[in-house]
């Protein structure tokens, strides 16, 4: 099953904002956020394999700031090993919270994360508990058995508490990295040899891929990467379920504001294979038209998607067909939270644009019409299975398409 299938399937599942963001990012990039992966329930067995094997093919995000690195390395090895073991046991869970963050908490977290990277650390540590009974005794804590952050019910988090959560997430990253340090080092050595072969055959190196991706980050989003963490790695054909084999994945994470930017650059010629932006997914996908309105609304979405291609990606091309796709729950007659627009060229190549129903682009990839439609059929199937798991009976999700 293709990663896109899982990305689309999440649109109909009532996950909170962070779970949706983390899931799509983890599945598209084959890695974990903040030490805690999000697993899509409709394909749990697949996702667990990604987490169990993918960590060896894709390094955990490096702790790039020296002060943070020093703090991580100063931890007692026993504590790091214990945290790694707990984290490994939570692979089938995704972080969740007892309530949403307030607007004020989101704003302060973004600022505090930047300060954390520069050496502003909490004075205490996040309380971890093993039962709901223990969690009830604390205003703010982490229930390790279910990976739930218990937040104060009647007040906002303090700056200290936000820093404690950031610190805890960073320590999980480090612990998991240390647990698999030997395997990761071996895998990285293999990658270096593969990259040498790529360059020898006329391809680009990793530094060139980063430069190309940085150009797109500026061109599309107006950002230069400052204040964010960058990670990049080569994706080979022998990686577990590679999304884009023989490519470089270059990504930036603004963990303070839960914003993530992913680019896959073709290692052979430096072309852009895909990009994705993840932020506030639940809010962005909440607004959707009725079934009666959806077909007509695709015209506006398609127009904005084409503007993205011409204005943001600066592509001037002629398309044989422009077609929009979305799914409909046949029981509730509710459309999916996003619409895909496919720009098909004469040679069979297609540019896939994923948009919210108001036309905001959050994903782009190079594919073919046949491959995309096969993936969409798989998405509809897994969404039906998910509905059956939750409600006891299966519902069909039909595919709707409109030529624009």
């Amino acid at each position: 099953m293709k990663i896109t299938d899982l990305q689309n399937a999440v649109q109909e599942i009532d996950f909170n904002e962070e779970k949706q963001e983390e899931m799509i990012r983890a599945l598209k990039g084959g890695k974990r956020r903040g030490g805690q992966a999000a697993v899509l329930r409709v394909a749990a067995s697949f996702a667990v394999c990604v987490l169990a094997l993918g960590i060896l093919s894709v390094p955990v995000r490096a702790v790039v700031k020296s002060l943070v690195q020093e703090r991580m390395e100063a931890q007692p090895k026993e504590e790091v090993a214990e945290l790694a073991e707990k984290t490994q046991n939570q692979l089938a869970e995704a972080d969740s919270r007892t309530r949403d963050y307030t607007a004020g908490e989101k704003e302060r977290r973004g600022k505090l994360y930047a300060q954390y990277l520069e050496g502003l650390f909490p004075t205490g540590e996040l309380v971890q508990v093993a039962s709901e009974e223990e969690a009830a005794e604390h205003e703010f804590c982490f229930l390790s058995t279910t990976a739930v952050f218990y937040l104060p019910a009647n007040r906002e988090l303090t700056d200290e508490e936000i820093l404690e959560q950031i610190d805890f997430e960073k320590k999980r990253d480090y612990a998991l990295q240390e647990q698999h340090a030997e395997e990761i080092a071996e895998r990285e050595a293999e990658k270096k040899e593969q990259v040498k072969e790529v360059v020898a055959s006329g391809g680009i190196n990793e530094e060139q891929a980063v430069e190309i991706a940085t150009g797109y980050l500026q061109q599309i989003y107006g950002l230069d990467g400052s204040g964010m963490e960058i990670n990049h790695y080569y994706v080979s054909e022998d990686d577990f379920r590679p999304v884009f084999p023989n490519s470089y994945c270059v990504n930036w994470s603004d963990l303070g504001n839960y914003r993530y930017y992913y680019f896959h650059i073709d290692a052979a010629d430096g072309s852009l294979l895909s990009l994705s932006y993840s932020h506030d997914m639940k809010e962005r996908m909440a607004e959707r038209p009725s079934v009666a309105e959806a077909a007509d609304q695709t015209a506006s979405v398609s127009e904005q998607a084409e503007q993205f291609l011409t204005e943001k990606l600066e592509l001037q091309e002629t398309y044989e067909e422009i077609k929009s796709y979305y799914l409909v729950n046949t029981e509730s007659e509710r459309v999916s939270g996003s619409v895909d627009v496919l720009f098909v060229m004469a040679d069979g190549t297609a540019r896939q644009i994923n948009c919210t129903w108001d036309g905001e682009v959050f994903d782009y990839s190079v594919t073919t019409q046949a491959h995309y439609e096969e993936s969409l059929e798989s998405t509809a199937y897994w969404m039906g299975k998910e509905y059956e798991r939750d409600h006891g009976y299966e519902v069909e999700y039909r595919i709707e398409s409109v030529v624009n």
Side-chain angles (χ1 to χ4, degrees), residues 111-122:
K111 294 177 180 177
L112 287 167
Y113 189 84
Q115 292 176 294
Y116 177 87
L117 294 180
E118 298 300 329
L120 178 63
F121 302 131

Side-chain angles (χ1 to χ4, degrees), residues 191-214 230-235 246-250 263-271:
K191 295 282 187 178
K192 287 181 180 179
E193 293 303 314
Q194 291 169 338
V195 169
K196 287 180 181 179
E197 294 178 7
V198 168
V199 174
S201 63
I204 64 172
N205 60 34
E206 197 161 329
E207 290 72 21
Q208 289 171 309
V210 171
E211 184 178 352
I212 292 169
T214 303
I230 183 173
N231 189 30
H232 44 85
Y233 47 86
Y234 176 67
V235 181
N246 193 32
S247 71
Y248 295 102
C249 179
V250 185
F263 301 85
H264 276 88
I265 306 299
D266 193 322
D269 60 15
S271 62

Side-chain angles (χ1 to χ4, degrees), residues 216-277:
Y216 279 116
L217 184 70
Q218 177 65 50
Q219 178 178 315
I220 298 169
Y221 302 106
L223 302 171
D224 62 6
S226 59
M228 295 190 287
E229 293 186 45
I230 183 173
N231 189 30
H232 44 85
Y233 47 86
Y234 176 67
V235 181
S236 67
E237 293 185 357
D238 62 353
D239 280 343
F240 181 76
R241 300 258 181 164
V243 183
F244 291 101
N246 193 32
S247 71
Y248 295 102
C249 179
V250 185
N251 56 82
W252 285 266
S253 300
D254 178 0
L255 294 175
N257 294 298
Y258 297 112
R259 295 189 178 99
Y260 312 100
Y261 306 84
Y262 268 70
F263 301 85
H264 276 88
I265 306 299
D266 193 322
D269 60 15
S271 62
L272 178 65
L273 295 175
S274 77
L275 67 86
S276 62
Y277 166 63

Side-chain angles (χ1 to χ4, degrees), residues 1-65:
M1 188 166 94
K2 187 172 178 287
I3 296 296
T4 308
D5 303 339
L6 302 183
Q7 176 180 341
N8 288 322
V10 74
Q11 295 163 7
E12 285 293 324
I13 304 171
D14 187 21
F15 287 133
N16 65 41
E17 169 191 330
E18 280 175 61
K19 282 188 182 180
Q20 292 192 31
E21 291 179 345
E22 294 166 17
M23 181 187 313
I24 291 173
R25 214 167 39 80
L27 291 172
K28 288 178 74 65
K31 61 195 290 291
R32 300 163 54 85
R33 180 208 60 82
Q36 190 63 37
V39 176
L40 184 57
R41 292 176 293 160
V42 299
S45 60
F46 170 79
V48 168
C49 287
V50 170
L51 295 171
L53 301 178
I55 185 171
L56 303 185
S57 62
V58 179
V60 176
R61 184 176 53 252
V63 185
V64 295
K65 295 293 184 179

